[in-house]
């Protein structure tokens, strides 16, 4: 079974989609929660810092005697700070005060930002600003001291710098808690995705298995169509297609069987009259020298065509035996060299073929069928390789196995014909030379005879400069212990 990357499978995509959606949902919820919590925490801290500083200003404001010198500013700063009932956050703050350009601030702690000082000089209301100092966040608050009569600026500004470290710690805790809570959510989403994908993919797996069964020839296979959705429609469509293909195959089989029976019946019916015609045509051809030229030529032509028709009928009858499964082997132990010699002599091909067959080689085969194979392979070379071509038949034994090569150096078989050369009624290209006298059944019958022996007959696709057929017959070589 081929292992695919998870992202290429439907289950993997579903799991990844669920995981991505759950992570995005958790991240969005965590972000919104964190922002809202941060806003609440900072707003409360800001309110506490502002209210605390304002309370201090209200407490010391009436006692101020303007203008303030540096000593007065120090006294004012010392009076600032948490009072009774002030917010606890004020304990984390440092204070400063300014009058004009004079600023008094503690020697330790964050300094007051220049920007808020510059803006506070002319302001009459409270200013608030968050700043980063040495990696820490501080809340800078500036409260201008105004007159009681008309709320005009007195030039005195008090400042507080409140550390937000505790608030940052709280916010970090919220983020970490949200991230921790996201883990079980993602795991639950993955489990849910696994359950959903299992249910969704079950009918897909059934369809996949059914398609593989069909590819192995089991047409008509059906799958359950229990789903009421798209997968159910797909299953019903598949079942209908499978039934249609099965019915069409059965129809084609019946038509093919009828055609084969028709060809076999016709061939058998033609055999008897063809025998008589062959005898009469042969007699006329033998007496052609005694006939007028035009009649002699016609008699010779009739004899040749009758011979071809007889051969075609015999080959059709042979093919019908293979199709019906009635072809049987009649094994006999023979000398291969003598068998091949008789086959070539009977057809007057001895002078055309170079033989390389060991004289002592004996095999156990059906002699008639081996003769048919040799006659078809050599006859094919004689007809198509050309008069000047060299034809060679060689045999060699490898243990109990026999290999026979029939090779010619003719023009060869065209590449577009080679894949179909063993199909029925396929003839070689006229470029292989001369008029084709075969029926197109010879090589098909030769391969059927080879396979009936448990062997094979193939065309050497890689042979250059002609044609090479290779006949392989296993366990036919007779080996005597003496």
């Amino acid at each position: 079974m081929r292992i695919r990357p998870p992202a290429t499978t439907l289950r993997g995509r579903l799991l990844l989609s669920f995981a991505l959606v759950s992570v995005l949902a958790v991240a969005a919820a965590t972000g919104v929660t964190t922002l809202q919590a941060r806003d609440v925490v900072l707003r409360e801290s800001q309110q506490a810092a502002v209210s605390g500083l304002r309370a201090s200003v209200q407490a010391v404001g009436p006692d101020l005697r303007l203008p303030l010198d540096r000593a007065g500013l120090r006294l004012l700063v010392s009076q600032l700070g948490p009072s009774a009932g002030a917010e606890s956050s004020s304990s984390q703050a440092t204070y400063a005060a300014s009058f004009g350009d004079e600023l008094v601030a503690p020697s330790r702690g964050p300094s007051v930002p220049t920007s808020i000082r510059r803006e506070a000089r002319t302001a009459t209301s409270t200013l608030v600003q968050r700043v980063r100092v040495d990696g820490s966040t501080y809340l800078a608050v500036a409260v201008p001291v105004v007159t009681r009569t008309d709320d005009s600026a007195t030039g005195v500004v008090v400042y507080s710098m409140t550390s937000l470290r505790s608030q940052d710690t709280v916010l970090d805790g919220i983020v970490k808690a949200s991230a921790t809570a996201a883990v079980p959510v993602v795991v639950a989403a993955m489990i849910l995705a696994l359950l959903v994908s299992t249910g969704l993919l079950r009918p897909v797996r059934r369809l996949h298995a059914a398609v593989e069964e069909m590819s192995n020839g089991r047409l008509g296979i059906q799958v359950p169509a229990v789903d009421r959705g798209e997968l159910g429609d797909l299953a019903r469509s598949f079942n209908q297609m499978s039934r249609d293909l099965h019915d069409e195959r059965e129809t084609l089989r019946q038509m093919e069987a009828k055609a084969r029976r028709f060809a076999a019946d016709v061939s058998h019916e033609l055999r008897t009259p063809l025998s008589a015609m062959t005898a009469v045509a042969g007699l006329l051809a033998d007496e052609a020298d005694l006939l007028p030229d035009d009649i002699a030529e016609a008699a010779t032509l009739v004899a040749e065509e009758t011979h071809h028709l007889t051969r075609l009928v015999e080959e059709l009858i042979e093919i019908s035996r293979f199709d019906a499964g009635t072809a049987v082997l009649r094994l006999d132990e023979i000398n291969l060299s003598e068998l091949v010699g008789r086959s070539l002599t009977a057809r007057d091909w001895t002078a055309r073929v170079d033989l390389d067959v060991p004289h002592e080689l004996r095999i156990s085969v059906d002699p008639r069928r081996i003769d048919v194979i040799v006659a078809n392979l050599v006859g094919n070379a004689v007809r198509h390789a050309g008069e000047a071509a060299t034809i060679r038949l060689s045999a060699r034994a490898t243990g109990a196995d026999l290999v026979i090569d029939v090779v010619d150096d003719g023009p060869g078989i065209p590449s577009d014909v080679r894949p179909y050369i063993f199909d029925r009624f396929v003839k070689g290209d006229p470029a292989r030379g001369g008029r084709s006298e075969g029926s197109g059944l010879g090589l098909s019958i030769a391969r059927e005879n080879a396979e009936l022996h448990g062997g094979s007959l193939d065309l050497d696709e890689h042979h250059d400069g002609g044609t090479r057929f290779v006949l392989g017959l296993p366990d036919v070589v007779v080996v005597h212990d003496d």
Side-chain angles (χ1 to χ4, degrees):
M1 182 178 180
R2 188 176 62 178
I3 300 177
R4 300 184 179 90
T8 63
T9 64
L10 186 55
R11 181 192 294 275
R13 291 176 182 175
L14 283 173
L15 292 176
L16 291 177
S17 299
F18 268 73
L20 181 60
V21 169
S22 60
V23 168
L24 291 177
V26 170
T30 302
V32 172
T33 302
T34 303
L35 289 176
Q36 290 181 345
R38 178 175 178 273
D39 186 60
V40 170
V41 170
L42 293 180
R43 187 167 57 246
E44 291 181 351
S45 299
Q46 178 176 322
Q47 288 176 353
V50 171
S51 61
L53 190 56
R54 280 179 177 174
S56 297
V57 170
Q58 289 176 359
V60 301
D63 299 329
L64 289 178
R65 295 296 181 265
L66 300 178
L68 291 176
D69 55 10
R70 191 165 186 81
L73 288 174
R74 286 198 185 94
L75 177 62
L76 175 59
V77 170
S78 65
Q79 294 173 332
L80 298 175
S83 58
E87 300 292 340
S88 61
S89 62
S90 299
S91 61
Q92 304 174 10
T94 59
Y95 299 93
S98 67
F99 181 75
D101 295 332
E102 191 69 35
L103 174 67
V104 173
S107 58
R108 295 181 179 179
S111 59
V112 178
T114 304
S115 59
I116 198 171
R117 282 186 58 195
R118 187 182 306 114
E119 189 176 355
R121 285 179 180 177
T122 57
T124 57
S125 60
T126 302
L127 302 177
V128 178
Q129 186 177 356
R130 281 195 298 274
V131 295
R132 296 281 295 178
V133 179
D134 297 332
S136 300
T137 306
Y138 289 87
L139 183 65
V141 179
V143 177
V145 179
V146 297
T147 61
R148 288 187 175 182
T149 54
D150 56 359
D151 289 337
S152 60
T154 62
V156 179
V157 181
V158 295
Y159 305 94
S160 67
M161 293 293 290
T162 305
S163 173
L164 298 178
R165 179 177 300 171
S166 61
Q167 288 80 357
D168 288 342
T169 302
V170 172
L171 293 176
D172 290 343
I174 293 175
V175 173
K176 291 179 180 177
S178 299
T180 304
V183 174
V185 173
V186 174
V187 172
M190 296 292 289
I191 294 175
L192 179 61
L194 188 62
L195 295 175
V196 171
S197 63
T198 301
L200 285 176
L201 294 179
R202 188 177 295 113
V204 176
R205 286 197 296 270
R206 285 198 293 260
L207 277 172
H208 178 258
V211 170
E212 288 189 340
E213 290 284 340
M214 285 186 65
S215 66
N216 292 327
R218 190 184 170 192
L219 300 181
I221 187 173
Q222 302 288 287
V223 296
V226 295
D227 189 277
R228 297 183 178 179
E230 292 82 355
L231 291 176
D233 294 338
L234 179 61
R236 284 184 281 276
S237 298
F238 172 84
N239 290 339
Q240 184 61 46
M241 178 191 68
S242 180
R243 286 193 295 270
D244 292 344
L245 289 175
H246 177 268
D247 294 343
E248 290 181 6
R249 184 182 65 177
E250 292 304 314
T251 301
L252 290 175
R253 282 180 173 177
Q254 293 174 3
M255 293 174 64
E256 185 179 2
K258 290 179 179 178
R260 288 176 176 175
R261 283 197 299 271
F262 176 77
D265 293 343
V266 170
S267 300
H268 281 286
E269 292 299 326
L270 288 175
R271 174 182 270 178
T272 301
L274 274 176
S275 298
M277 291 174 61
T278 302
V280 173
L283 181 60
L284 288 175
D286 292 341
E287 300 296 333
D289 294 339
L290 305 177
L291 300 173
D293 291 342
D294 53 346
I295 297 177
E297 182 179 358
T300 303
L301 179 60
V302 169
E304 291 176 352
E305 295 303 326
T306 304
H307 173 73
H308 295 156
L309 183 58
T310 302
R311 180 182 175 186
L312 174 61
V313 170
E314 293 296 334
E315 290 179 342
L316 286 173
I317 293 174
E318 187 74 3
I319 282 289
S320 67
R321 292 195 186 100
F322 286 114
D323 292 341
T326 57
V328 294
L329 285 177
R330 302 184 187 282
L331 297 179
D332 191 10
E333 181 178 329
I334 53 98
N335 182 288
L336 178 61
S337 177
E338 295 176 358
L339 173 64
V340 173
R342 286 196 301 270
S343 180
L344 299 182
T345 301
R347 296 168 178 85
D348 198 20
W349 292 338
T350 304
R352 290 296 315 277
V353 181
D354 296 335
L355 285 179
D356 181 14
V357 181
H359 294 289
E360 71 282 2
L361 185 58
R362 299 187 66 80
I363 58 176
S364 177
V365 295
D366 186 329
R368 186 185 71 82
R369 297 190 183 279
I370 298 302
D371 175 70
V372 170
I373 296 174
V374 171
N376 275 290
L377 297 182
V378 175
N380 192 64
V382 169
R383 286 191 296 272
H384 299 292
E387 293 292 337
T390 299
I391 303 171
R392 184 169 181 271
L393 188 153
S394 61
R396 64 183 184 279
T398 305
D401 300 339
L402 175 67
V403 177
I404 296 178
D405 288 344
V406 178
V407 184
D408 70 65
D409 57 358
I413 300 174
S415 58
D416 59 333
V417 180
R418 291 186 175 189
Y420 316 104
I421 196 63
F422 290 103
D423 291 353
R424 297 175 182 179
F425 300 108
V426 171
K427 297 184 179 181
D429 190 87
R432 274 175 58 80
R435 168 178 174 267
S436 177
E437 299 175 352
S439 62
L441 294 172
L443 289 177
S444 177
I445 292 174
R447 173 174 272 188
E448 293 279 5
N449 279 308
E451 292 176 351
L452 193 62
H453 282 84
S456 61
L457 176 60
D458 299 295
L459 173 67
D460 185 354
E461 297 283 350
H462 306 290
H463 182 71
D464 294 329
T467 304
R468 176 178 181 242
F469 285 100
V470 180
L471 170 65
L473 299 176
D475 298 326
V476 297
V477 177
V478 178
V479 180
H480 296 287
D481 296 334
D482 55 350

